[in-house]
Amino acid sequence: MKFAPLVMMSLFSFLSGSAHAATELKVGDVAPGFSLKDDEGKDFSLDSRKGHWTVLYFYPKSETPGCTKQACAFRDSIGKIRALGAEVIGVSVNSVADQAEFKKNHHLNFPLLADDKTKVTDLYGSKMPILNMSKRWTFLLDPELKIQAIDHDVDPVKDADHVASKLKDLQAAAGKKS
């Protein structure tokens, strides 16, 4: 059984979704367009974000400890992020009702999108294998809706601060190119 540790590591990698597909989105790609219902049941289209920086973060499930910490950190950092001209958009495979309840319970001040059919989660490569949940991934989109950063290894507590810092760096670099 010398191969048992290798098999176990491969199985863990598959189940956790840490192995990345060859066709995954990359920095510089145009973010795939989509429309979903938000936590108020209204239609949200990614195209509506054209001309603005966007933080698109995928999270596994509302009301779980890590997802709650991440959402509350974004809530608490929203002023810094909006001062950089960006908006935070959360996406999970929860229903509109679940998203509304999560937003209400934690006084969240940004939209949550319901991807209960996993179409967008699949489109962004963020669906966990086997489980019907999103991986915890964050995408930073520029005003042209091009992907400027992707974080596959998100710390739910530190994600909001990391995003604010990364946005500042990306915008400074973009300003130097103009």
Side-chain angles (χ1 to χ4, degrees):
M1 289 301 273
K2 1 189 233 212
F3 297 107
L6 181 60
V7 170
M8 291 304 292
M9 284 176 44
S10 296
L11 180 60
F12 175 76
S13 178
F14 174 76
L15 291 174
S16 68
S18 61
H20 301 301
T23 58
E24 86 177 32
L25 296 171
K26 301 177 294 310
V27 169
D29 289 349
V30 173
F34 64 85
S35 271
L36 287 174
K37 297 284 186 194
D38 70 10
D39 51 84
E40 296 177 352
K42 297 178 184 169
D43 290 326
F44 171 90
S45 171
L46 184 62
D47 287 341
S48 70
R49 296 297 309 151
K50 188 124 174 133
H52 307 280
W53 285 85
T54 303
V55 177
L56 186 64
Y57 86 96
F58 290 83
Y59 61 97
K61 188 171 171 62
S62 296
E63 298 296 354
T64 57
C67 296
T68 300
K69 288 176 187 173
Q70 185 178 23
C72 290
F74 274 120
R75 176 200 64 205
D76 296 344
S77 296
I78 201 75
K80 286 191 288 189
I81 293 168
R82 287 184 177 151
L84 295 165
E87 183 59 77
V88 173
I89 312 290
V91 181
S92 77
V93 299
N94 294 2
S95 69
V96 169
D98 289 339
Q99 297 294 58
E101 188 71 15
F102 186 46
K103 186 173 184 173
K104 177 183 165 204
N105 288 346
H106 301 285
H107 310 286
L108 303 179
N109 47 8
F110 55 87
L112 299 177
L113 305 181
D115 187 24
D116 53 349
K117 295 189 178 27
T118 74
K119 289 181 181 180
V120 176
T121 301
D122 285 335
L123 190 61
Y124 278 74
S126 182
K127 185 171 184 297
M128 286 188 194
I130 301 175
L131 300 175
N132 191 35
M133 288 193 281
S134 296
K135 298 173 189 172
R136 192 179 311 280
W137 285 4
T138 302
F139 295 80
L140 300 183
L141 312 180
D142 70 15
E144 297 301 314
L145 301 181
K146 280 190 172 180
I147 300 169
Q148 293 301 315
I150 305 170
D151 193 352
H152 292 122
D153 189 23
V154 174
D155 179 329
V157 175
K158 297 178 181 176
D159 195 26
D161 286 337
H162 175 76
V163 161
S165 176
K166 187 70 175 171
L167 273 169
K168 193 179 289 186
D169 292 346
L170 287 167
Q171 290 174 353
K176 290 177 184 176
K177 292 178 187 176
S178 306

